PDB file of all heavy atoms in Angstrom:
ATOM      1  N   ASP Y  13     -24.615  19.186   7.600  1.00  0.00           N
ATOM      2  CA  ASP Y  13     -23.873  17.969   7.189  1.00  0.00           C
ATOM      3  C   ASP Y  13     -23.213  18.125   5.858  1.00  0.00           C
ATOM      4  O   ASP Y  13     -22.095  17.661   5.662  1.00  0.00           O
ATOM      5  CB  ASP Y  13     -24.867  16.786   7.148  1.00  0.00           C
ATOM      6  CG  ASP Y  13     -25.395  16.411   8.527  1.00  0.00           C
ATOM      7  OD1 ASP Y  13     -24.743  16.863   9.515  1.00  0.00           O
ATOM      8  OD2 ASP Y  13     -26.390  15.702   8.644  1.00  0.00           O
ATOM      9  N   ILE Y  14     -23.891  18.797   4.896  1.00  0.00           N
ATOM     10  CA  ILE Y  14     -23.306  18.998   3.570  1.00  0.00           C
ATOM     11  C   ILE Y  14     -22.101  19.934   3.661  1.00  0.00           C
ATOM     12  O   ILE Y  14     -21.062  19.655   3.048  1.00  0.00           O
ATOM     13  CB  ILE Y  14     -24.385  19.560   2.621  1.00  0.00           C
ATOM     14  CG1 ILE Y  14     -25.523  18.561   2.425  1.00  0.00           C
ATOM     15  CG2 ILE Y  14     -23.737  19.933   1.257  1.00  0.00           C
ATOM     16  CD1 ILE Y  14     -25.108  17.287   1.749  1.00  0.00           C
ATOM     17  N   ARG Y  15     -22.248  21.001   4.409  1.00  0.00           N
ATOM     18  CA  ARG Y  15     -21.132  21.954   4.574  1.00  0.00           C
ATOM     19  C   ARG Y  15     -19.882  21.226   5.055  1.00  0.00           C
ATOM     20  O   ARG Y  15     -18.824  21.415   4.565  1.00  0.00           O
ATOM     21  CB  ARG Y  15     -21.536  23.094   5.532  1.00  0.00           C
ATOM     22  CG  ARG Y  15     -22.587  24.041   5.046  1.00  0.00           C
ATOM     23  CD  ARG Y  15     -22.576  25.305   5.903  1.00  0.00           C
ATOM     24  NE  ARG Y  15     -22.751  25.111   7.308  1.00  0.00           N
ATOM     25  CZ  ARG Y  15     -23.922  25.041   7.964  1.00  0.00           C
ATOM     26  NH1 ARG Y  15     -25.040  25.159   7.246  1.00  0.00           N
ATOM     27  NH2 ARG Y  15     -23.948  24.894   9.260  1.00  0.00           N
ATOM     28  N   GLU Y  16     -20.113  20.466   6.152  1.00  0.00           N
ATOM     29  CA  GLU Y  16     -18.971  19.791   6.787  1.00  0.00           C
ATOM     30  C   GLU Y  16     -18.405  18.704   5.926  1.00  0.00           C
ATOM     31  O   GLU Y  16     -17.170  18.490   5.919  1.00  0.00           O
ATOM     32  CB  GLU Y  16     -19.390  19.277   8.176  1.00  0.00           C
ATOM     33  CG  GLU Y  16     -19.751  20.412   9.150  1.00  0.00           C
ATOM     34  CD  GLU Y  16     -20.149  19.893  10.506  1.00  0.00           C
ATOM     35  OE1 GLU Y  16     -20.354  18.631  10.587  1.00  0.00           O
ATOM     36  OE2 GLU Y  16     -20.263  20.681  11.465  1.00  0.00           O
ATOM     37  N   LEU Y  17     -19.266  17.963   5.193  1.00  0.00           N
ATOM     38  CA  LEU Y  17     -18.796  16.904   4.309  1.00  0.00           C
ATOM     39  C   LEU Y  17     -17.920  17.482   3.233  1.00  0.00           C
ATOM     40  O   LEU Y  17     -16.785  17.016   2.963  1.00  0.00           O
ATOM     41  CB  LEU Y  17     -19.973  16.150   3.716  1.00  0.00           C
ATOM     42  CG  LEU Y  17     -19.583  15.151   2.613  1.00  0.00           C
ATOM     43  CD1 LEU Y  17     -18.723  14.030   3.183  1.00  0.00           C
ATOM     44  CD2 LEU Y  17     -20.878  14.547   1.995  1.00  0.00           C
ATOM     45  N   VAL Y  18     -18.383  18.541   2.541  1.00  0.00           N
ATOM     46  CA  VAL Y  18     -17.596  19.178   1.500  1.00  0.00           C
ATOM     47  C   VAL Y  18     -16.311  19.775   2.035  1.00  0.00           C
ATOM     48  O   VAL Y  18     -15.241  19.644   1.424  1.00  0.00           O
ATOM     49  CB  VAL Y  18     -18.443  20.282   0.816  1.00  0.00           C
ATOM     50  CG1 VAL Y  18     -17.574  21.042  -0.224  1.00  0.00           C
ATOM     51  CG2 VAL Y  18     -19.653  19.680   0.102  1.00  0.00           C
ATOM     52  N   SER Y  19     -16.402  20.325   3.226  1.00  0.00           N
ATOM     53  CA  SER Y  19     -15.182  20.916   3.868  1.00  0.00           C
ATOM     54  C   SER Y  19     -14.151  19.829   4.120  1.00  0.00           C
ATOM     55  O   SER Y  19     -12.950  20.017   3.859  1.00  0.00           O
ATOM     56  CB  SER Y  19     -15.570  21.603   5.183  1.00  0.00           C
ATOM     57  OG  SER Y  19     -14.437  22.075   5.833  1.00  0.00           O
ATOM     58  N   ASP Y  20     -14.570  18.688   4.670  1.00  0.00           N
ATOM     59  CA  ASP Y  20     -13.630  17.593   4.979  1.00  0.00           C
ATOM     60  C   ASP Y  20     -12.961  17.088   3.681  1.00  0.00           C
ATOM     61  O   ASP Y  20     -11.764  16.809   3.668  1.00  0.00           O
ATOM     62  CB  ASP Y  20     -14.384  16.451   5.648  1.00  0.00           C
ATOM     63  CG  ASP Y  20     -14.808  16.780   7.094  1.00  0.00           C
ATOM     64  OD1 ASP Y  20     -14.258  17.727   7.623  1.00  0.00           O
ATOM     65  OD2 ASP Y  20     -15.709  16.104   7.621  1.00  0.00           O
ATOM     66  N   ILE Y  21     -13.772  16.963   2.626  1.00  0.00           N
ATOM     67  CA  ILE Y  21     -13.175  16.466   1.342  1.00  0.00           C
ATOM     68  C   ILE Y  21     -12.135  17.437   0.821  1.00  0.00           C
ATOM     69  O   ILE Y  21     -11.022  17.025   0.409  1.00  0.00           O
ATOM     70  CB  ILE Y  21     -14.310  16.342   0.321  1.00  0.00           C
ATOM     71  CG1 ILE Y  21     -15.273  15.209   0.697  1.00  0.00           C
ATOM     72  CG2 ILE Y  21     -13.731  16.066  -1.094  1.00  0.00           C
ATOM     73  CD1 ILE Y  21     -16.523  15.120  -0.138  1.00  0.00           C
ATOM     74  N   LEU Y  22     -12.428  18.747   0.895  1.00  0.00           N
ATOM     75  CA  LEU Y  22     -11.513  19.763   0.353  1.00  0.00           C
ATOM     76  C   LEU Y  22     -10.258  19.914   1.231  1.00  0.00           C
ATOM     77  O   LEU Y  22      -9.143  20.124   0.750  1.00  0.00           O
ATOM     78  CB  LEU Y  22     -12.222  21.076   0.191  1.00  0.00           C
ATOM     79  CG  LEU Y  22     -13.336  21.091  -0.843  1.00  0.00           C
ATOM     80  CD1 LEU Y  22     -13.973  22.457  -0.931  1.00  0.00           C
ATOM     81  CD2 LEU Y  22     -12.829  20.681  -2.219  1.00  0.00           C
ATOM     82  N   ILE Y  23     -10.438  19.795   2.537  1.00  0.00           N
ATOM     83  CA  ILE Y  23      -9.276  19.806   3.459  1.00  0.00           C
ATOM     84  C   ILE Y  23      -8.348  18.663   3.141  1.00  0.00           C
ATOM     85  O   ILE Y  23      -7.093  18.829   3.178  1.00  0.00           O
ATOM     86  CB  ILE Y  23      -9.740  19.833   4.925  1.00  0.00           C
ATOM     87  CG1 ILE Y  23     -10.422  21.157   5.280  1.00  0.00           C
ATOM     88  CG2 ILE Y  23      -8.567  19.560   5.836  1.00  0.00           C
ATOM     89  CD1 ILE Y  23     -11.042  21.185   6.640  1.00  0.00           C
ATOM     90  N   ASP Y  24      -8.918  17.487   2.906  1.00  0.00           N
ATOM     91  CA  ASP Y  24      -8.068  16.333   2.544  1.00  0.00           C
ATOM     92  C   ASP Y  24      -7.322  16.591   1.250  1.00  0.00           C
ATOM     93  O   ASP Y  24      -6.207  16.036   1.046  1.00  0.00           O
ATOM     94  CB  ASP Y  24      -8.960  15.091   2.362  1.00  0.00           C
ATOM     95  CG  ASP Y  24      -9.493  14.547   3.711  1.00  0.00           C
ATOM     96  OD1 ASP Y  24      -8.900  14.925   4.742  1.00  0.00           O
ATOM     97  OD2 ASP Y  24     -10.440  13.808   3.681  1.00  0.00           O
ATOM     98  N   GLU Y  25      -7.857  17.444   0.376  1.00  0.00           N
ATOM     99  CA  GLU Y  25      -7.182  17.738  -0.873  1.00  0.00           C
ATOM    100  C   GLU Y  25      -6.176  18.870  -0.736  1.00  0.00           C
ATOM    101  O   GLU Y  25      -5.510  19.245  -1.698  1.00  0.00           O
ATOM    102  CB  GLU Y  25      -8.271  18.151  -1.930  1.00  0.00           C
ATOM    103  CG  GLU Y  25      -9.173  17.055  -2.361  1.00  0.00           C
ATOM    104  CD  GLU Y  25      -8.473  15.922  -3.108  1.00  0.00           C
ATOM    105  OE1 GLU Y  25      -7.531  16.246  -3.912  1.00  0.00           O
ATOM    106  OE2 GLU Y  25      -8.791  14.769  -2.910  1.00  0.00           O
ATOM    107  N   GLY Y  26      -6.076  19.421   0.492  1.00  0.00           N
ATOM    108  CA  GLY Y  26      -5.071  20.444   0.731  1.00  0.00           C
ATOM    109  C   GLY Y  26      -5.609  21.876   0.752  1.00  0.00           C
ATOM    110  O   GLY Y  26      -4.834  22.808   0.849  1.00  0.00           O
ATOM    111  N   TYR Y  27      -6.938  22.048   0.628  1.00  0.00           N
ATOM    112  CA  TYR Y  27      -7.481  23.417   0.652  1.00  0.00           C
ATOM    113  C   TYR Y  27      -7.811  23.864   2.070  1.00  0.00           C
ATOM    114  O   TYR Y  27      -7.950  22.981   2.954  1.00  0.00           O
ATOM    115  CB  TYR Y  27      -8.779  23.468  -0.174  1.00  0.00           C
ATOM    116  CG  TYR Y  27      -8.583  23.137  -1.622  1.00  0.00           C
ATOM    117  CD1 TYR Y  27      -8.916  21.893  -2.150  1.00  0.00           C
ATOM    118  CD2 TYR Y  27      -8.074  24.068  -2.541  1.00  0.00           C
ATOM    119  CE1 TYR Y  27      -8.753  21.523  -3.470  1.00  0.00           C
ATOM    120  CE2 TYR Y  27      -7.920  23.767  -3.881  1.00  0.00           C
ATOM    121  CZ  TYR Y  27      -8.275  22.493  -4.360  1.00  0.00           C
ATOM    122  OH  TYR Y  27      -8.124  22.174  -5.668  1.00  0.00           O
ATOM    123  N   THR Y  28      -7.971  25.126   2.288  1.00  0.00           N
ATOM    124  CA  THR Y  28      -8.527  25.644   3.508  1.00  0.00           C
ATOM    125  C   THR Y  28      -9.946  26.093   3.222  1.00  0.00           C
ATOM    126  O   THR Y  28     -10.250  26.543   2.141  1.00  0.00           O
ATOM    127  CB  THR Y  28      -7.678  26.849   4.040  1.00  0.00           C
ATOM    128  OG1 THR Y  28      -7.698  27.915   3.070  1.00  0.00           O
ATOM    129  CG2 THR Y  28      -6.265  26.458   4.321  1.00  0.00           C
ATOM    130  N   THR Y  29     -10.798  25.934   4.246  1.00  0.00           N
ATOM    131  CA  THR Y  29     -12.230  26.213   4.011  1.00  0.00           C
ATOM    132  C   THR Y  29     -12.808  27.102   5.113  1.00  0.00           C
ATOM    133  O   THR Y  29     -12.313  27.151   6.236  1.00  0.00           O
ATOM    134  CB  THR Y  29     -13.040  24.924   3.976  1.00  0.00           C
ATOM    135  OG1 THR Y  29     -12.951  24.282   5.268  1.00  0.00           O
ATOM    136  CG2 THR Y  29     -12.506  23.985   2.859  1.00  0.00           C
ATOM    137  N   ARG Y  30     -13.872  27.837   4.718  1.00  0.00           N
ATOM    138  CA  ARG Y  30     -14.724  28.544   5.678  1.00  0.00           C
ATOM    139  C   ARG Y  30     -16.155  28.218   5.343  1.00  0.00           C
ATOM    140  O   ARG Y  30     -16.481  27.904   4.194  1.00  0.00           O
ATOM    141  CB  ARG Y  30     -14.521  30.067   5.548  1.00  0.00           C
ATOM    142  CG  ARG Y  30     -13.167  30.538   6.134  1.00  0.00           C
ATOM    143  CD  ARG Y  30     -13.008  32.049   5.992  1.00  0.00           C
ATOM    144  NE  ARG Y  30     -12.720  32.439   4.639  1.00  0.00           N
ATOM    145  CZ  ARG Y  30     -12.914  33.711   4.173  1.00  0.00           C
ATOM    146  NH1 ARG Y  30     -13.424  34.602   4.995  1.00  0.00           N
ATOM    147  NH2 ARG Y  30     -12.588  34.009   2.904  1.00  0.00           N
ATOM    148  N   LEU Y  31     -17.019  28.288   6.357  1.00  0.00           N
ATOM    149  CA  LEU Y  31     -18.371  27.812   6.187  1.00  0.00           C
ATOM    150  C   LEU Y  31     -19.396  28.912   6.459  1.00  0.00           C
ATOM    151  O   LEU Y  31     -19.200  29.773   7.329  1.00  0.00           O
ATOM    152  CB  LEU Y  31     -18.686  26.625   7.112  1.00  0.00           C
ATOM    153  CG  LEU Y  31     -17.629  25.486   7.105  1.00  0.00           C
ATOM    154  CD1 LEU Y  31     -18.080  24.388   8.062  1.00  0.00           C
ATOM    155  CD2 LEU Y  31     -17.511  24.935   5.714  1.00  0.00           C
ATOM    156  N   ALA Y  32     -20.544  28.886   5.684  1.00  0.00           N
ATOM    157  CA  ALA Y  32     -21.612  29.864   5.914  1.00  0.00           C
ATOM    158  C   ALA Y  32     -22.904  29.153   5.572  1.00  0.00           C
ATOM    159  O   ALA Y  32     -22.987  28.283   4.693  1.00  0.00           O
ATOM    160  CB  ALA Y  32     -21.427  31.088   5.030  1.00  0.00           C
ATOM    161  N   SER Y  33     -23.998  29.533   6.294  1.00  0.00           N
ATOM    162  CA  SER Y  33     -25.291  28.882   6.091  1.00  0.00           C
ATOM    163  C   SER Y  33     -26.346  29.769   5.395  1.00  0.00           C
ATOM    164  O   SER Y  33     -27.384  29.283   5.034  1.00  0.00           O
ATOM    165  CB  SER Y  33     -25.849  28.390   7.463  1.00  0.00           C
ATOM    166  OG  SER Y  33     -26.076  29.516   8.298  1.00  0.00           O
ATOM    167  N   ASN Y  34     -26.056  31.067   5.323  1.00  0.00           N
ATOM    168  CA  ASN Y  34     -27.050  31.993   4.722  1.00  0.00           C
ATOM    169  C   ASN Y  34     -26.327  33.184   4.072  1.00  0.00           C
ATOM    170  O   ASN Y  34     -25.089  33.288   4.142  1.00  0.00           O
ATOM    171  CB  ASN Y  34     -28.081  32.434   5.727  1.00  0.00           C
ATOM    172  CG  ASN Y  34     -27.419  33.039   6.972  1.00  0.00           C
ATOM    173  OD1 ASN Y  34     -26.541  33.854   6.887  1.00  0.00           O
ATOM    174  ND2 ASN Y  34     -27.909  32.615   8.139  1.00  0.00           N
ATOM    175  N   SER Y  35     -27.115  34.098   3.515  1.00  0.00           N
ATOM    176  CA  SER Y  35     -26.519  35.245   2.804  1.00  0.00           C
ATOM    177  C   SER Y  35     -25.748  36.162   3.742  1.00  0.00           C
ATOM    178  O   SER Y  35     -24.662  36.686   3.390  1.00  0.00           O
ATOM    179  CB  SER Y  35     -27.582  36.004   2.020  1.00  0.00           C
ATOM    180  OG  SER Y  35     -28.607  36.464   2.912  1.00  0.00           O
ATOM    181  N   ASP Y  36     -26.281  36.395   4.946  1.00  0.00           N
ATOM    182  CA  ASP Y  36     -25.607  37.295   5.897  1.00  0.00           C
ATOM    183  C   ASP Y  36     -24.263  36.763   6.297  1.00  0.00           C
ATOM    184  O   ASP Y  36     -23.258  37.510   6.287  1.00  0.00           O
ATOM    185  CB  ASP Y  36     -26.474  37.474   7.142  1.00  0.00           C
ATOM    186  CG  ASP Y  36     -27.751  38.264   6.880  1.00  0.00           C
ATOM    187  OD1 ASP Y  36     -27.797  38.940   5.859  1.00  0.00           O
ATOM    188  OD2 ASP Y  36     -28.715  38.142   7.688  1.00  0.00           O
ATOM    189  N   GLU Y  37     -24.182  35.481   6.584  1.00  0.00           N
ATOM    190  CA  GLU Y  37     -22.884  34.900   6.988  1.00  0.00           C
ATOM    191  C   GLU Y  37     -21.926  34.875   5.739  1.00  0.00           C
ATOM    192  O   GLU Y  37     -20.735  35.100   5.889  1.00  0.00           O
ATOM    193  CB  GLU Y  37     -23.076  33.450   7.426  1.00  0.00           C
ATOM    194  CG  GLU Y  37     -23.809  33.374   8.787  1.00  0.00           C
ATOM    195  CD  GLU Y  37     -24.012  31.928   9.231  1.00  0.00           C
ATOM    196  OE1 GLU Y  37     -23.486  30.999   8.561  1.00  0.00           O
ATOM    197  OE2 GLU Y  37     -24.682  31.719  10.248  1.00  0.00           O
ATOM    198  N   THR Y  38     -22.484  34.701   4.561  1.00  0.00           N
ATOM    199  CA  THR Y  38     -21.665  34.723   3.339  1.00  0.00           C
ATOM    200  C   THR Y  38     -21.014  36.090   3.133  1.00  0.00           C
ATOM    201  O   THR Y  38     -19.779  36.173   2.921  1.00  0.00           O
ATOM    202  CB  THR Y  38     -22.528  34.392   2.122  1.00  0.00           C
ATOM    203  OG1 THR Y  38     -23.117  33.083   2.281  1.00  0.00           O
ATOM    204  CG2 THR Y  38     -21.697  34.401   0.869  1.00  0.00           C
ATOM    205  N   PHE Y  39     -21.795  37.131   3.187  1.00  0.00           N
ATOM    206  CA  PHE Y  39     -21.265  38.431   2.976  1.00  0.00           C
ATOM    207  C   PHE Y  39     -20.265  38.877   4.090  1.00  0.00           C
ATOM    208  O   PHE Y  39     -19.300  39.584   3.839  1.00  0.00           O
ATOM    209  CB  PHE Y  39     -22.377  39.512   2.873  1.00  0.00           C
ATOM    210  CG  PHE Y  39     -23.271  39.250   1.662  1.00  0.00           C
ATOM    211  CD1 PHE Y  39     -24.634  39.412   1.760  1.00  0.00           C
ATOM    212  CD2 PHE Y  39     -22.712  38.836   0.454  1.00  0.00           C
ATOM    213  CE1 PHE Y  39     -25.466  39.209   0.675  1.00  0.00           C
ATOM    214  CE2 PHE Y  39     -23.560  38.595  -0.658  1.00  0.00           C
ATOM    215  CZ  PHE Y  39     -24.929  38.775  -0.530  1.00  0.00           C
ATOM    216  N   LYS Y  40     -20.525  38.372   5.286  1.00  0.00           N
ATOM    217  CA  LYS Y  40     -19.582  38.674   6.410  1.00  0.00           C
ATOM    218  C   LYS Y  40     -18.219  38.041   6.134  1.00  0.00           C
ATOM    219  O   LYS Y  40     -17.195  38.664   6.325  1.00  0.00           O
ATOM    220  CB  LYS Y  40     -20.178  38.172   7.723  1.00  0.00           C
ATOM    221  CG  LYS Y  40     -19.275  38.483   8.944  1.00  0.00           C
ATOM    222  CD  LYS Y  40     -19.911  37.946  10.212  1.00  0.00           C
ATOM    223  CE  LYS Y  40     -19.008  38.225  11.404  1.00  0.00           C
ATOM    224  NZ  LYS Y  40     -19.582  37.703  12.680  1.00  0.00           N
ATOM    225  N   CYS Y  41     -18.233  36.811   5.659  1.00  0.00           N
ATOM    226  CA  CYS Y  41     -16.987  36.106   5.316  1.00  0.00           C
ATOM    227  C   CYS Y  41     -16.253  36.803   4.193  1.00  0.00           C
ATOM    228  O   CYS Y  41     -15.017  36.957   4.260  1.00  0.00           O
ATOM    229  CB  CYS Y  41     -17.292  34.635   4.939  1.00  0.00           C
ATOM    230  SG  CYS Y  41     -17.787  33.576   6.317  1.00  0.00           S
ATOM    231  N   ILE Y  42     -17.009  37.228   3.204  1.00  0.00           N
ATOM    232  CA  ILE Y  42     -16.384  37.929   2.055  1.00  0.00           C
ATOM    233  C   ILE Y  42     -15.774  39.268   2.502  1.00  0.00           C
ATOM    234  O   ILE Y  42     -14.676  39.649   2.071  1.00  0.00           O
ATOM    235  CB  ILE Y  42     -17.427  38.147   0.947  1.00  0.00           C
ATOM    236  CG1 ILE Y  42     -17.781  36.780   0.350  1.00  0.00           C
ATOM    237  CG2 ILE Y  42     -16.860  39.076  -0.157  1.00  0.00           C
ATOM    238  CD1 ILE Y  42     -18.912  36.858  -0.683  1.00  0.00           C
ATOM    239  N   ASP Y  43     -16.488  39.990   3.369  1.00  0.00           N
ATOM    240  CA  ASP Y  43     -15.961  41.277   3.846  1.00  0.00           C
ATOM    241  C   ASP Y  43     -14.695  41.077   4.678  1.00  0.00           C
ATOM    242  O   ASP Y  43     -13.785  41.930   4.604  1.00  0.00           O
ATOM    243  CB  ASP Y  43     -17.041  41.986   4.715  1.00  0.00           C
ATOM    244  CG  ASP Y  43     -18.214  42.500   3.895  1.00  0.00           C
ATOM    245  OD1 ASP Y  43     -18.038  42.608   2.640  1.00  0.00           O
ATOM    246  OD2 ASP Y  43     -19.301  42.709   4.415  1.00  0.00           O
ATOM    247  N   GLU Y  44     -14.655  39.995   5.460  1.00  0.00           N
ATOM    248  CA  GLU Y  44     -13.460  39.729   6.259  1.00  0.00           C
ATOM    249  C   GLU Y  44     -12.242  39.456   5.370  1.00  0.00           C
ATOM    250  O   GLU Y  44     -11.162  39.989   5.582  1.00  0.00           O
ATOM    251  CB  GLU Y  44     -13.692  38.555   7.199  1.00  0.00           C
ATOM    252  CG  GLU Y  44     -14.662  38.880   8.316  1.00  0.00           C
ATOM    253  CD  GLU Y  44     -15.054  37.657   9.170  1.00  0.00           C
ATOM    254  OE1 GLU Y  44     -14.567  36.527   8.760  1.00  0.00           O
ATOM    255  OE2 GLU Y  44     -15.699  37.785  10.194  1.00  0.00           O
ATOM    256  N   GLU Y  45     -12.444  38.609   4.381  1.00  0.00           N
ATOM    257  CA  GLU Y  45     -11.387  38.315   3.411  1.00  0.00           C
ATOM    258  C   GLU Y  45     -11.962  37.587   2.223  1.00  0.00           C
ATOM    259  O   GLU Y  45     -12.738  36.645   2.369  1.00  0.00           O
ATOM    260  CB  GLU Y  45     -10.287  37.388   4.052  1.00  0.00           C
ATOM    261  CG  GLU Y  45      -9.125  37.114   3.141  1.00  0.00           C
ATOM    262  CD  GLU Y  45      -8.029  36.275   3.834  1.00  0.00           C
ATOM    263  OE1 GLU Y  45      -8.224  35.976   5.023  1.00  0.00           O
ATOM    264  OE2 GLU Y  45      -7.058  35.940   3.159  1.00  0.00           O
ATOM    265  N   LEU Y  46     -11.625  38.106   1.022  1.00  0.00           N
ATOM    266  CA  LEU Y  46     -12.184  37.552  -0.183  1.00  0.00           C
ATOM    267  C   LEU Y  46     -11.630  36.127  -0.423  1.00  0.00           C
ATOM    268  O   LEU Y  46     -10.415  35.940  -0.480  1.00  0.00           O
ATOM    269  CB  LEU Y  46     -11.846  38.456  -1.362  1.00  0.00           C
ATOM    270  CG  LEU Y  46     -12.583  38.121  -2.686  1.00  0.00           C
ATOM    271  CD1 LEU Y  46     -14.095  38.426  -2.530  1.00  0.00           C
ATOM    272  CD2 LEU Y  46     -11.988  38.936  -3.835  1.00  0.00           C
ATOM    273  N   PRO Y  47     -12.500  35.114  -0.542  1.00  0.00           N
ATOM    274  CA  PRO Y  47     -12.006  33.736  -0.802  1.00  0.00           C
ATOM    275  C   PRO Y  47     -11.527  33.619  -2.227  1.00  0.00           C
ATOM    276  O   PRO Y  47     -11.767  34.507  -3.083  1.00  0.00           O
ATOM    277  CB  PRO Y  47     -13.220  32.857  -0.537  1.00  0.00           C
ATOM    278  CG  PRO Y  47     -14.412  33.743  -0.849  1.00  0.00           C
ATOM    279  CD  PRO Y  47     -13.966  35.151  -0.402  1.00  0.00           C
ATOM    280  N   GLU Y  48     -10.851  32.540  -2.520  1.00  0.00           N
ATOM    281  CA  GLU Y  48     -10.392  32.288  -3.893  1.00  0.00           C
ATOM    282  C   GLU Y  48     -11.437  31.575  -4.733  1.00  0.00           C
ATOM    283  O   GLU Y  48     -11.396  31.613  -5.943  1.00  0.00           O
ATOM    284  CB  GLU Y  48      -9.110  31.470  -3.884  1.00  0.00           C
ATOM    285  CG  GLU Y  48      -7.920  32.194  -3.263  1.00  0.00           C
ATOM    286  CD  GLU Y  48      -6.647  31.353  -3.275  1.00  0.00           C
ATOM    287  OE1 GLU Y  48      -6.390  30.752  -4.331  1.00  0.00           O
ATOM    288  OE2 GLU Y  48      -5.971  31.305  -2.240  1.00  0.00           O
ATOM    289  N   LEU Y  49     -12.423  30.969  -4.039  1.00  0.00           N
ATOM    290  CA  LEU Y  49     -13.505  30.306  -4.718  1.00  0.00           C
ATOM    291  C   LEU Y  49     -14.676  30.124  -3.766  1.00  0.00           C
ATOM    292  O   LEU Y  49     -14.481  30.008  -2.553  1.00  0.00           O
ATOM    293  CB  LEU Y  49     -13.037  28.941  -5.236  1.00  0.00           C
ATOM    294  CG  LEU Y  49     -14.049  28.076  -6.012  1.00  0.00           C
ATOM    295  CD1 LEU Y  49     -13.371  27.327  -7.189  1.00  0.00           C
ATOM    296  CD2 LEU Y  49     -14.687  27.012  -5.088  1.00  0.00           C
ATOM    297  N   ILE Y  50     -15.886  30.103  -4.307  1.00  0.00           N
ATOM    298  CA  ILE Y  50     -17.074  29.902  -3.476  1.00  0.00           C
ATOM    299  C   ILE Y  50     -17.863  28.717  -4.046  1.00  0.00           C
ATOM    300  O   ILE Y  50     -18.125  28.627  -5.242  1.00  0.00           O
ATOM    301  CB  ILE Y  50     -18.018  31.125  -3.452  1.00  0.00           C
ATOM    302  CG1 ILE Y  50     -17.253  32.323  -2.782  1.00  0.00           C
ATOM    303  CG2 ILE Y  50     -19.288  30.871  -2.715  1.00  0.00           C
ATOM    304  CD1 ILE Y  50     -18.071  33.616  -2.730  1.00  0.00           C
ATOM    305  N   ILE Y  51     -18.280  27.826  -3.120  1.00  0.00           N
ATOM    306  CA  ILE Y  51     -19.227  26.728  -3.451  1.00  0.00           C
ATOM    307  C   ILE Y  51     -20.547  27.162  -2.845  1.00  0.00           C
ATOM    308  O   ILE Y  51     -20.694  27.354  -1.645  1.00  0.00           O
ATOM    309  CB  ILE Y  51     -18.762  25.374  -2.862  1.00  0.00           C
ATOM    310  CG1 ILE Y  51     -17.422  24.991  -3.486  1.00  0.00           C
ATOM    311  CG2 ILE Y  51     -19.810  24.314  -3.119  1.00  0.00           C
ATOM    312  CD1 ILE Y  51     -16.805  23.707  -2.848  1.00  0.00           C
ATOM    313  N   LEU Y  52     -21.547  27.351  -3.704  1.00  0.00           N
ATOM    314  CA  LEU Y  52     -22.794  28.006  -3.295  1.00  0.00           C
ATOM    315  C   LEU Y  52     -24.030  27.165  -3.620  1.00  0.00           C
ATOM    316  O   LEU Y  52     -24.258  26.762  -4.762  1.00  0.00           O
ATOM    317  CB  LEU Y  52     -22.888  29.366  -4.030  1.00  0.00           C
ATOM    318  CG  LEU Y  52     -24.152  30.204  -3.794  1.00  0.00           C
ATOM    319  CD1 LEU Y  52     -24.238  30.620  -2.314  1.00  0.00           C
ATOM    320  CD2 LEU Y  52     -24.073  31.454  -4.684  1.00  0.00           C
TER     321      LEU Y  52
END
């Protein structure tokens, strides 16, 4: 719920978002493409 709430807020502000729930998913997202910012 927190992930999706923050994502909805940032999308409304014009950002694009990706979501992860643990360290493995986080590193996988980073390996695919380095984000410009991380909320952790």
Side-chain angles (χ1 to χ4, degrees):
D13 291 344
I14 297 295
R15 292 196 303 271
E16 293 180 349
L17 173 62
V18 174
S19 176
D20 290 341
I21 293 171
L22 295 180
I23 289 174
D24 289 341
E25 294 294 323
Y27 298 101
T28 60
T29 64
R30 287 181 286 161
L31 310 180
S33 62
N34 54 47
S35 58
D36 292 340
E37 292 179 6
T38 300
F39 296 141
K40 182 180 179 181
C41 289
I42 292 174
D43 290 340
E44 290 174 353
E45 185 176 356
L46 191 67
E48 295 181 45
L49 180 142
I50 297 178
I51 298 174
L52 178 62

